[in-house]
């Protein structure tokens, strides 16, 4: 179908000349493995708006892939970074004691679910957080295997890639991966793996783990940990049914298996609570985070009960983890979340969701809208009955949105994800949604 939506005068010749030249240079020297959907070339940003190097303005519904909780160039984050950089930038938390890392660890222990003593291991990214969680689970349990879920994404290094299964391409020509990782069906309510009512779907998946996987594939006393994305991110912003996480917690309790919540994408306020798992009142054993924590600087962490942190000195470490500048940015980010951003996420998220909820009735290509807070997914389908993901159309709409001045990202086979900065105003939210509505209408 051909779009009837015309780009605005401001954006119609994208990419502009400077962007075009930069993309050509990038093509020559940057690895082709990255997943660029359209040629946006960053110049600068403010709040939820960005400008490219040709001076064109865009609304940012990506936040640099769910990272920039406080938006672009937030003065409090810039000040925290600047002040810390003037004091010292690096001094290897692996070998020395860093006050900023201790303060952040104390803060993370306070804001994560679970009323017990916790300890923190700092990393530089989401994948590294999950690798650390895997090693910790091995150390604590002495067991060899892991269970994770189909459609999950946990990162791109060998351990986390072995846990993930969102796209076969990630693993192509990289096999064999880690032995002893078993994938369970994920309770996707829109494309359920079992023919049961949605309110029993989570329990059905957990029963499958217990009665099929643990009977035929791996005994529970061999499982070092169960990894779950509280809300699946790269897999399509899929929110599990309410019975799932409590049933999974119960299974883990009965077999003394650590439950690891990967909140790399859903954490740090994105869903309107500090961590998404709080929506279900479930306390994981290990919580893994990155993306939103560092105010845009590379930082990740795992937080675990002190009783689990059994690994001895030297068992695990890194050079950059707990970098003081990133920790200062994280402390400023958490302060903003607690004082204003969580409230804004709930308010603007509810406003956006109310508008999104009208879309399945208005646009036949919209199969489902879903999400929490400002983690919102729009599932585009070729056919409402088969629910076949409209992959190419989704990519086309994301590209056309770029030409209209709106930055979007896909997720899963046919979904568009909206993960704007949590500082997004209602006016900018509406301006962005109007562009998207126009495009959906043109293609319906
Ligand atoms: N876990 C989840 C849920 C993610 O969404 C991501 C990244 O998208 C990762 C892990 C990997 O994080 P990183 O890209 O920082 O390694």
């Amino acid at each position: 179908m051909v779009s009837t939506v015309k780009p605005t005068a401001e954006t119609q010749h994208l990419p502009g000349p400077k962007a075009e030249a930069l993309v050509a240079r990038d093509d020559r020297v940057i690895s082709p493995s990255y997943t660029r959907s359209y040629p946006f070339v960053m110049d600068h940003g403010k709040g939820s708006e960005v400008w490219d190097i040709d001076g064109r303005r865009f609304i940012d519904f990506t936040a640099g892939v769910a990272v920039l909780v406080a938006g672009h160039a937030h003065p409090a984050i810039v000040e925290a970074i600047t002040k810390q950089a003037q004091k010292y930038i690096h001094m290897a938390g692996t070998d020395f004691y860093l006050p900023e890392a201790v303060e952040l660890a104390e803060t993370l222990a306070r804001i994560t679910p679970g009323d017990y003593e916790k300890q923190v291991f700092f990393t530089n990214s989401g994948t590294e957080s999950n690798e650390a969680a895997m090693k910790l689970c091995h150390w604590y349990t002495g067991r060899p295997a892991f269970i994770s879920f189909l459609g999950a994404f946990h990162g791109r290094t060998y351990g986390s890639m072995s846990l993930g299964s969102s796209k076969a391409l990630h693993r192509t020509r990289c096999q064999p991966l880690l032995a002893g990782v078993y994938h369970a069906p994920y309770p996707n309510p829109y494309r359920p793996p079992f023919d049961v009512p949605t309110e029993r779907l989570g329990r059905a998946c957990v029963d499958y783990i217990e009665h099929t996987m643990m009977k035929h594939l791996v005994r529970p006393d061999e499982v070092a940990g169960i990894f779950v994305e509280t809300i699946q991110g790269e897999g399509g912003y899929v929110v599990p049914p309410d019975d799932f996480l409590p049933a999974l917690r119960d299974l883990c309790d009965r077999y003394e298996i650590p439950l690891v919540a990967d909140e790399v994408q859903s954490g740090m306020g994105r869903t309107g609570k500090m961590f998404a798992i709080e929506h279900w009142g479930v306390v994981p054993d290990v919580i893994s985070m990155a993306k939103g924590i560092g105010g845009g600087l590379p930082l990740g962490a795992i937080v675990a009960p002190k009783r689990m942190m059994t690994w001895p000195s030297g068992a695990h470490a890194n050079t950059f983890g707990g970098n003081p500048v990133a920790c200062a940015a994280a402390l400023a980010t958490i302060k903003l979340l607690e004082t204003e951003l969580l409230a804004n996420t709930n308010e603007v998220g509810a406003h956006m969701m109310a508008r999104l909820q009208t879309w399945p009735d208005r646009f036949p290509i919209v199969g489902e809208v879903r999400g929490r807070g400002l983690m919102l997914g729009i599932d585009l389908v070729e056919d409402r009955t088969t629910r076949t993901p409209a992959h190419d159309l989704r990519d086309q709409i994301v590209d056309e949105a770029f030409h209209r001045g709106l930055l979007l990202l896909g997720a899963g086979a046919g979904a568009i994800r909206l993960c704007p900065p949590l500082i997004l105003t209602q006016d900018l939210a509406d301006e962005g949604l109007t562009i998207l509505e126009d495009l959906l209408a043109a293609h319906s």
Side-chain angles (χ1 to χ4, degrees), residues 95-330:
D95 289 294
F96 305 103
Y97 294 89
L98 310 181
E100 299 76 17
V102 174
E103 192 183 339
L104 180 58
E106 288 167 349
T107 306
L108 291 176
R110 172 175 67 76
I111 64 171
T112 42
D115 191 12
Y116 41 71
E117 273 192 283
K118 298 168 194 156
Q119 287 183 324
V120 176
F121 179 88
F122 286 114
T123 73
N124 306 285
S125 65
T127 198
E128 204 196 329
S129 294
N130 288 326
E131 299 283 343
M134 292 178 89
K135 270 182 89 169
L136 181 64
C137 288
H138 278 313
W139 263 104
Y140 174 65
T141 62
R143 300 175 182 176
F146 288 101
I147 291 176
S148 58
F149 290 89
L150 287 170
F153 183 77
H154 295 289
R156 303 163 180 93
T157 49
Y158 265 81
S160 62
M161 178 168 58
S162 306
L163 292 173
S165 62
S166 66
K167 288 195 185 86
L169 178 61
H170 295 155
R171 313 165 139 238
T172 303
R173 299 199 189 190
C174 294
Q175 313 261 11
L177 301 181
L178 218 61
V181 177
Y182 299 89
H183 293 92
Y186 183 77
N188 179 337
Y190 190 56
R191 297 186 179 87
F194 299 111
D195 188 14
V196 295
T198 303
E199 58 277 12
R200 294 215 312 270
L201 183 59
R203 162 60 64 189
C205 290
V206 173
D207 284 349
Y208 182 86
I209 296 175
E210 186 169 13
H211 302 305
T212 302
M213 295 175 69
M214 288 178 168
K215 293 263 171 333
H216 296 284
L217 295 170
V218 59
R219 275 182 17 189
D221 61 3
E222 290 214 306
V223 181
I226 298 186
F227 276 70
V228 65
E229 278 178 277
T230 310
I231 294 177
Q232 280 196 346
E234 306 299 306
Y237 276 27
V238 186
V239 184
D242 288 342
D243 66 335
F244 175 56
L245 291 160
L248 197 58
R249 176 71 272 178
D250 177 58
L251 178 81
C252 288
D253 285 343
R254 280 187 289 112
Y255 293 108
E256 295 182 355
I257 300 170
L259 176 61
V260 183
D262 180 342
E263 293 256 3
V264 167
Q265 189 146 179
S266 59
M268 304 316 292
R270 174 131 310 274
T271 66
K273 294 206 183 273
M274 196 62 88
F275 295 96
I277 202 154
E278 294 171 56
H279 288 287
W280 290 276
V282 168
V283 178
D285 296 293
V286 183
I287 189 156
S288 152
M289 60 193 84
K291 284 197 185 286
I293 185 176
L297 296 187
L299 181 68
I302 57 167
V303 181
K306 192 166 185 222
R307 68 178 163 80
M308 271 189 80
M309 287 268 184
T310 50
W311 44 16
S313 170
H316 198 44
N318 50 27
T319 301
F320 288 114
N323 170 274
V325 183
C327 286

Side-chain angles (χ1 to χ4, degrees), residues 38 40 50 58-62 401-402 405-409 417:
Y38 43 77
F40 173 74
V50 288
F58 298 79
I59 299 170
D60 182 9
F61 274 8
T62 77
F402 164 67
L406 174 65
L407 300 188
L408 296 174
L409 291 169
R417 68 177 122 176

